[in-house]
Amino acid sequence: MTHPAQIPDHPLDLVLTRTIAASPHDLFRCWTEPELIRQWFVPKPWSVARAEVDLRPGGQSLIVMRDPDGNEMPNPGVYLEVVPDRRLVFTDAYTAGWVPSKKPFMTGIISFEPEGEHTRYTARVRHWTAETKAEHEKMGFETGWGICADQLAALAKTL
Amino acid sequence: MTHPAQIPDHPLDLVLTRTIAASPHDLFRCWTEPELIRQWFVPKPWSVARAEVDLRPGGQSLIVMRDPDGNEMPNPGVYLEVVPDRRLVFTDAYTAGWVPSKKPFMTGIISFEPEGEHTRYTARVRHWTAETKAEHEKMGFETGWGICADQLAALAKTL
């Protein structure tokens, strides 16, 4: 079996999808290069204090967010599947070295599909339970990921 | 970062380790070729009714066990990391397509380290909670995986 073109919907998914005027390659770069991640990954006035990317299955993904008061919140995880310019899958269920996290919360499945000179961008966030999905909705998934997608689109156009 | 040579111990691990008189390559084959999996993977008189292997990160691992009365028990999961002849990582926290399973139970980290003409074989089973680790111990991890390791060693010698 090769990589399926699309990931089917699942009832435990929260999904944001956009057509963005940038190439899959540039959007993939924004998701995987620390210096680019810092520029779009959190809604301003929050910021990214640090981003570490070990881009391989089991490799660490660490994004440290900083709130407007300067408090830092680390978001450690690992990459699960890396298909350059097409798909990136990661989770917080593990940290580097396949160490189990305290509470598996989500799996991110980010797809970049060419659509003419644009890209169909899909950020799919999948949960293990209906409770954590509802919790994520209440935390403002739609608004937060929407703002970030705008920031991502604006950055990708400059590359 | 390259693949670390060893996975450090974790308090939520159950570990079986053996020196086996076979090559890492032959042991890796026993773990990844369906026809070989069927010959050693469950303690007799249980058997493997079916084994499906899609050997890539995110690819399906399905082993259907059959008890002496003919009842079948499917064990679906996915591969997380595949390092030919050296390491195999899989979990039941997902099924194919990164679909979350009902209850993430374990991660298997199987290492094959050359030791002269033999192999240091380590089967590390890692849990998310102390409760599931204790549950796995009660289910007879040590005895069950020990019997299987004997069956694996016997099979690998014939290859």
Side-chain angles (χ1 to χ4, degrees):
Chain A
M1 199 169 101
T2 53
H3 296 291
Q6 290 197 315
I7 294 275
D9 284 322
H10 188 278
L12 295 170
D13 288 350
L14 293 173
V15 182
L16 174 142
T17 185
R18 293 276 178 89
T19 295
I20 295 180
S23 68
H25 177 70
D26 285 340
L27 290 170
F28 189 82
R29 285 186 58 200
C30 290
W31 261 96
T32 55
E33 296 183 14
E35 274 316 299
L36 297 177
I37 291 172
R38 295 178 59 144
Q39 297 177 54
W40 72 270
F41 200 81
V42 296
K44 289 168 186 163
W46 285 51
S47 61
V48 173
R50 194 153 53 95
E52 290 180 19
V53 173
D54 181 14
L55 200 59
R56 61 180 177 89
Q60 173 177 247
S61 157
L62 172 65
I63 294 178
V64 180
M65 304 199 292
R66 183 186 279 146
D67 75 13
D69 295 328
N71 302 306
E72 296 194 350
M73 269 146 279
N75 283 263
V78 297
Y79 295 101
L80 292 174
E81 189 182 2
V82 179
V83 186
D85 302 346
R86 287 298 178 268
R87 183 187 298 165
L88 190 64
V89 183
F90 55 91
T91 185
D92 62 4
Y94 297 100
T95 56
W98 302 114
V99 172
S101 61
K102 290 237 162 55
K103 186 189 170 194
F105 181 69
M106 55 160 274
T107 304
I109 303 173
I110 313 300
S111 305
F112 312 92
E113 295 166 58
E115 208 172 65
E117 296 188 352
H118 296 178
T119 299
R120 189 70 181 165
Y121 169 74
T122 306
R124 183 181 298 279
V125 179
R126 187 165 276 184
H127 306 80
W128 269 277
T129 65
E131 290 69 35
T132 51
K133 177 187 172 183
E135 192 182 326
H136 205 172
E137 265 181 313
K138 266 196 196 162
M139 281 163 61
F141 169 84
E142 204 167 336
T143 308
W145 283 69
I147 292 170
C148 291
D150 291 341
Q151 295 178 172
L152 168 66
L155 174 62
K157 279 178 207 168
T158 70
L159 299 181
Chain B
M1 199 170 99
T2 52
H3 295 292
Q6 290 198 315
I7 294 274
D9 283 322
H10 188 278
L12 295 171
D13 288 350
L14 293 173
V15 182
L16 174 143
T17 184
R18 294 275 177 90
T19 296
I20 295 181
S23 67
H25 177 69
D26 286 340
L27 291 170
F28 188 83
R29 286 186 58 201
C30 291
W31 262 96
T32 54
E33 296 183 15
E35 275 315 300
L36 296 176
I37 291 172
R38 296 180 59 145
Q39 297 177 56
W40 73 270
F41 200 81
V42 296
K44 291 169 186 161
W46 285 52
S47 62
V48 173
R50 195 152 53 96
E52 291 180 19
V53 173
D54 180 15
L55 200 60
R56 61 180 178 88
Q60 173 177 246
S61 158
L62 172 65
I63 295 178
V64 181
M65 303 198 292
R66 183 185 282 146
D67 75 12
D69 295 328
N71 302 307
E72 295 194 351
M73 270 146 278
N75 283 262
V78 297
Y79 295 102
L80 292 175
E81 189 183 3
V82 179
V83 187
D85 302 346
R86 287 297 177 269
R87 184 187 296 165
L88 191 64
V89 183
F90 54 91
T91 184
D92 61 4
Y94 296 101
T95 55
W98 303 113
V99 172
S101 61
K102 291 238 161 56
K103 186 190 168 194
F105 181 68
M106 54 161 274
T107 304
I109 303 173
I110 314 299
S111 304
F112 313 91
E113 295 166 57
E115 208 172 65
E117 296 188 350
H118 296 177
T119 299
R120 189 71 182 165
Y121 169 74
T122 306
R124 184 181 299 278
V125 180
R126 185 164 277 183
H127 307 79
W128 270 276
T129 66
E131 290 69 35
T132 51
K133 178 188 171 182
E135 191 183 325
H136 206 172
E137 266 181 313
K138 266 196 197 162
M139 281 163 62
F141 169 85
E142 205 167 334
T143 308
W145 282 68
I147 293 170
C148 291
D150 292 340
Q151 295 178 170
L152 168 65
L155 174 62
K157 279 178 206 166
T158 70
L159 299 180

